[in-house]
Amino acid sequence: MDRERVKEAFDGYVSGYDLHNPKIRLKYEHTYHVAGNCEEIARDVFGEEIRFPNTETAVRKSPRTVAAGERAVDIAWLIGMLHDIGRFEQLKRYDTFNDSQSIDHAGFGADLLFGEEHLIDRFSDNATLYPFLEEAVRDHSRYRLPQGLDSVTKAFCNIIRDADKIDILRVNFAVSQSDIYSLPEEEIAESAISPEVLEIALTENRAVPRDLHRTPADHFVGHICLCYELVYEKSRRMAVEQGYLLKLFDYPFTNEETRKDLQRLKKHMEESNILPKKGNES
């Protein structure tokens, strides 16, 4: 895989948008972080040198479980580079990253890549990759993956989903919260956690559906709860080792109940072995 071609194509595409806009810059940098996470997770899942069969027979027999001549870590990295391609046009058209108020950015990105514009041609000529890439981009932000995916495609989908979740934790500290939520910092700090969001976080050990997020504090809890959904042990280690997960619990909320609820959640996640217990961080 020609990574320089991919990076040049991505940078060329993003150059059509305003990189001085902190939200555009955020997604630009997020893309490279997620691609790195994908590579790291894929190396643990697949191994460094695993390549998929490069035979016409194999391609004809099972086009969704081969990717001619490519290393799995490179495919995963490429998925990371492509996964949020729809975000830039979403922000330009709608001035928001909120899918419910605009478009499904994942599906939109898949359509840009594999629809009429066929932007994928800028990144790769290996058509045997396209089924993996389209499925992974289209599904990366779904609450749940669709049924019936073959094992290799499902693995790539899970890798990008894990990698994206891990970097969402970092994004909370990459720019000011007011830029992320378009609200004054004081309003964010004063916000409370909605009861239904806290109930899911403390009792159901799953991601909080985005349509339940009502306040900035709900978004914080929602991001923390993404860690319940991480598929791979490597991903769970990365989420802790990168340090941003633990920082989320200590955000300087001025709302006393919010601070207490976050500490309750932290204790619950320690008891659920999502977080290392105090004294066992190594």
Side-chain angles (χ1 to χ4, degrees):
M1 182 176 295
D2 186 346
R3 292 197 181 198
E4 288 306 310
R5 171 186 173 181
V6 172
K7 289 187 282 188
E8 287 175 8
F10 178 73
D11 288 355
Y13 180 78
V14 176
S15 70
Y17 300 89
D18 180 11
L19 277 167
H20 295 293
N21 182 326
K23 291 182 180 179
I24 293 290
R25 190 77 198 178
L26 178 73
K27 287 302 176 183
Y28 174 81
E29 294 175 354
H30 169 70
T31 294
Y32 278 97
H33 280 279
V34 170
N37 287 345
C38 282
E39 181 175 7
E40 194 169 344
I41 298 166
R43 185 174 290 114
D44 193 72
V45 172
F46 288 113
E48 177 69 45
E49 292 298 334
I50 287 182
R51 293 177 182 269
F52 291 96
N54 188 10
T55 68
E56 291 184 8
T57 301
V59 173
R60 287 199 306 270
K61 181 179 179 181
S62 185
R64 297 187 67 78
T65 57
V66 295
E70 302 284 3
R71 296 191 312 159
V73 292
D74 290 327
I75 298 170
W77 176 85
L78 177 57
I79 291 168
M81 291 298 297
L82 299 176
H83 83 287
D84 261 358
I85 199 78
R87 283 297 199 188
F88 303 98
E89 189 65 20
Q90 178 190 39
L91 185 66
K92 181 179 179 180
R93 293 185 188 184
Y94 302 100
D95 195 32
T96 183
F97 288 139
N98 188 323
D99 286 9
S100 66
Q101 296 176 5
S102 55
I103 52 173
D104 169 23
H105 79 278
F108 180 63
D111 290 342
L112 286 175
L113 288 164
F114 300 99
E116 185 176 348
E117 292 188 51
H118 219 253
L119 290 181
I120 190 61
D121 292 339
R122 302 185 188 183
F123 299 90
S124 174
D125 302 317
N126 188 346
T128 61
L129 292 177
Y130 293 177
F132 296 104
L133 302 179
E134 181 172 6
E135 192 73 53
V137 171
R138 195 173 296 280
D139 294 345
H140 82 267
S141 69
R142 291 184 192 270
Y143 190 65
R144 292 286 180 263
L145 286 174
Q147 298 294 312
L149 297 179
D150 65 74
S151 61
V152 178
T153 302
K154 185 176 181 180
F156 281 122
C157 288
N158 281 328
I159 287 168
I160 181 59
R161 287 161 66 84
D162 276 14
D164 193 30
K165 289 177 174 70
I166 292 167
D167 198 60
I168 286 171
L169 304 176
R170 181 197 62 82
V171 162
N172 282 278
F173 303 95
V175 297
S176 72
Q177 294 298 316
S178 59
D179 283 335
I180 295 175
Y181 299 114
S182 301
L183 291 171
E185 295 280 356
E186 296 79 6
E187 187 172 338
I188 296 169
E190 292 169 359
S191 64
I193 303 170
S194 301
E196 61 269 37
V197 169
L198 188 62
E199 176 74 12
I200 291 172
L202 291 174
T203 67
E204 299 185 24
N205 289 23
R206 63 181 175 95
V208 180
R210 284 189 288 267
D211 59 4
L212 294 181
H213 295 182
R214 301 283 184 267
T215 71
D218 288 346
H219 287 289
F220 273 73
V221 173
H223 291 165
I224 290 169
C225 289
L226 292 175
C227 294
Y228 287 131
E229 305 285 341
L230 294 174
V231 173
Y232 298 110
E233 176 59 31
K234 175 66 174 178
S235 305
R236 291 188 283 272
R237 292 199 305 271
M238 289 170 64
V240 173
E241 290 167 1
Q242 289 185 12
Y244 301 106
L245 174 58
L246 293 173
K247 286 184 178 181
L248 281 170
F249 291 101
D250 295 325
Y251 184 80
F253 284 99
T254 56
N255 186 310
E256 181 66 23
E257 287 304 311
T258 299
R259 292 204 303 271
K260 289 179 180 178
D261 287 339
L262 284 174
Q263 292 311 303
R264 288 173 62 198
L265 177 56
K266 183 178 182 181
K267 182 178 179 181
H268 173 74
M269 295 185 84
E270 289 173 349
E271 292 171 348
S272 302
N273 295 317
I274 305 297
L275 288 171
K277 292 183 174 64
K278 192 171 183 179
N280 293 313
E281 288 84 356
S282 60

